[in-house]
Amino acid sequence: MFQQFWNDENGFVVSTELVLIATVLVLGMIVGLTTLRDQVIAELADVAAAFSNSNQSYSFSGITGHSSSTSGSLFTDNTDFCDVATMTAEEFAHCISIVVAEPEGS
């Protein structure tokens, strides 16, 4: 009975196929999730740039009526410290930079 069990290879091919399929699926999932992460970061950077480009300044002039008046008001949205027009190739607008890790040993 032990010799018959030892010589039986019916399940060998199935288990090898399952290991191969699981390996391909895990590698594909890692690549897919990395791509998803990068795209979410890029979209959030676009949203941050859109919020940063909104102009928050306002003003209204004074109003004078029959027996009362109100003075006007003014607010100017100044440029933030990282709103610059010059950017390098590795830098995105509005202080968002993506750092690419270099492989070890290089």
Side-chain angles (χ1 to χ4, degrees):
M1 182 170 146
F2 181 74
Q3 188 67 27
Q4 181 185 3
F5 177 72
W6 185 261
N7 292 331
D8 186 18
E9 295 181 356
N10 289 334
F12 175 73
V13 175
V14 175
S15 62
T16 305
E17 290 172 352
L18 289 178
V19 168
L20 181 64
I21 290 172
T23 303
V24 170
L25 286 176
V26 168
L27 291 176
M29 199 168 64
I30 290 172
V31 171
L33 289 175
T34 302
T35 304
L36 178 68
R37 177 202 63 194
D38 292 342
Q39 294 305 314
V40 167
I41 289 172
E43 286 301 317
L44 290 176
D46 291 343
V47 171
F51 276 113
S52 176
N53 285 330
S54 64
N55 188 352
Q56 300 174 5
S57 61
Y58 69 92
S59 67
F60 63 92
S61 59
I63 302 171
T64 303
H66 292 287
S67 60
S68 65
S69 65
T70 178
S71 62
S73 180
L74 173 70
F75 172 76
T76 304
D77 186 21
N78 294 327
T79 307
D80 293 334
F81 68 94
C82 61
D83 290 338
V84 293
T86 59
M87 296 184 320
T88 62
E90 293 84 20
E91 183 179 27
F92 290 99
H94 308 291
C95 298
I96 298 172
S97 61
I98 297 177
V99 179
V100 179
E102 294 184 17
E104 293 182 18
S106 60

